[in-house]
Amino acid sequence: MSSISNINADLHCHSVVSDGTLTPEELAQRAYANGVRLWALTDHDELGGQERAGAAAHALGMDYVAGVEISVTWMGQTIHIVGLGIDSAHMGIVEGLRLTREGRGNRAKLMAEQLLKVGIPGAYEGALYFAGNHDLISRTHFARFLVERGICKDTNQVFKNYLVEDKPGFVPHLWATLDNAVAWIKLAGGVAVIAHPGRYKLNAMQMDALYKHFKDIGGLGIEVITGSHSPDQYLSYGKIAQQYGFLASRGSDFHDPQESYIDLGTLPLLPEHLTPIWSAFH
Ligand code: AMP
Ligand code: MN
Ligand code: MN
Ligand code: MN
């Protein structure tokens, strides 16, 4: 008997509406061609691509749930919360995300000022050129500008030498609170998932506090199989899911055919012993 864990679900990726380089339609086609049968577009802090993504998925005969990846500040660190199965027109989340996006323009100007000080002019305009949505100028767009200028050979090099803590172009930012992000997702009828838990610079005690608090406020899932985890981490976060009683999610976090190591729909399937997040979709 095949279990529902076997579904090729990809529930995390980005379009030009945030910091990806493909349109929602191009992503839908790429996902479907790679065998994805349950898909979500999860742009950062933005729902502007949801209607197009849903329509493109349905035209291909692929199941779709509306999604988002919300930037959150928790214990002084940035973490990401994915919302899945939301009503993307719900006023609470639409307005919450608008406020979350608001500081990005000013942050980008401050990032460019720092880069100017290390001899890199024109970074604000340069990043804006790469931003498909000027309300969502992100570090990824600065990274593409720095690669285009020949300052770094690829975006991975950028995130080692620039735009991160203690390097030029890093501007600390206060994003949404964890409580607000989870409340917006739940009120919009969706389920909240901790994105790529293996990426955070939090110690074991802080991660334990995150899992417990997230669960207390109604968070349901964590990403286990993600483009940000190593095979070892598939195992360790699978154990975390079981230990804390979280549903498990799977998503490539695909942004761009050249930049992203992991293509849509190509990661290992969820392990059968975990309960998939899609068991909670209506
Ligand atoms: P922002 O929301 O403006 O802080 O930008 C965050 C985005 O930068 C993430 O969603 C990733 O797409 C990208 N990013 C952050 N860290 C890295 C990294 N180490 N390697 C590649 N991309 C990264
Ligand atoms: Mn991104
Ligand atoms: Mn993320
Ligand atoms: Mn992402």
Side-chain angles (χ1 to χ4, degrees):
M1 200 185 82
S2 76
S3 101
I4 63 166
S5 298
N6 284 335
I7 296 174
N8 188 342
D10 194 320
L11 303 175
H12 189 150
C13 69
H14 300 274
S15 78
V16 288
V17 171
S18 64
D19 61 348
T21 58
L22 302 186
T23 62
E25 291 81 5
E26 288 167 336
L27 287 168
Q29 277 164 17
R30 192 177 183 101
Y32 189 76
N34 287 352
V36 173
R37 294 298 176 263
L38 171 61
W39 181 51
L41 170 66
T42 56
D43 277 311
H44 296 286
D45 307 326
E46 248 297 355
L47 295 166
Q50 292 306 312
E51 272 190 31
R52 289 170 61 188
H58 291 145
L60 291 161
M62 179 165 62
D63 284 334
Y64 186 77
V65 287
V68 67
E69 182 176 18
I70 306 181
S71 310
V72 161
T73 301
W74 163 262
M75 291 190 173
Q77 294 284 325
T78 299
I79 66 164
H80 287 167
I81 299 295
V82 165
L84 297 170
I86 51 178
D87 166 7
S88 60
H90 191 273
M91 276 309 292
I93 194 163
V94 168
E95 181 59 15
L97 294 177
R98 191 184 64 74
L99 292 170
T100 306
R101 287 194 300 271
E102 231 174 35
R104 281 186 178 269
N106 193 48
R107 169 188 186 235
K109 285 179 186 148
L110 295 172
M111 287 166 68
E113 278 176 24
Q114 281 193 28
L115 292 170
L116 180 61
K117 283 186 193 145
V118 296
I120 304 167
Y124 178 72
E125 295 73 17
L128 209 55
Y129 169 82
F130 285 101
N133 170 4
H134 287 189
D135 285 348
L136 208 115
I137 183 164
S138 87
R139 285 186 293 158
T140 313
H141 304 115
F142 280 84
R144 292 186 185 131
F145 162 77
L146 292 170
V147 172
E148 185 213 44
R149 280 294 149 93
I151 291 158
C152 295
K153 80 167 169 31
D154 58 33
T155 52
N156 285 305
Q157 283 304 314
V158 175
F159 285 104
K160 292 200 174 89
N161 300 301
Y162 297 91
L163 316 182
V164 292
E165 226 170 318
D166 303 323
K167 303 285 179 187
F170 179 73
V171 175
H173 195 77
L174 208 55
W175 301 108
T177 66
L178 181 62
D179 290 48
N180 281 345
V182 172
W184 299 334
I185 291 165
K186 284 172 54 190
L187 289 168
V191 297
V193 175
I194 298 174
H196 42 64
R199 255 172 61 175
Y200 305 129
K201 289 199 194 90
L202 297 168
N203 65 33
M205 258 174 64
Q206 292 170 318
M207 288 303 293
D208 175 68
L210 171 63
Y211 297 137
K212 285 181 175 149
H213 185 71
F214 181 68
K215 198 157 170 106
D216 279 347
I217 60 178
L220 282 191
I222 65 168
E223 288 184 342
V224 172
I225 307 289
T226 140
S228 297
H229 285 172
S230 64
D232 282 353
Q233 290 176 316
Y234 302 157
L235 294 175
S236 51
Y237 289 99
K239 285 190 187 135
I240 293 281
Q242 289 185 297
Q243 183 186 334
Y244 289 86
F246 286 128
L247 304 179
S249 192
R250 173 180 187 262
S252 56
D253 208 355
F254 180 81
H255 285 71
D256 169 81
Q258 269 83 51
E259 282 168 24
S260 302
Y261 294 124
I262 308 291
D263 206 338
L264 286 154
T266 62
L267 286 170
L269 296 174
L270 270 190
E272 301 238 352
H273 64 278
L274 301 178
T275 310
I277 192 73
W278 45 94
S279 67
F281 297 164
H282 312 296

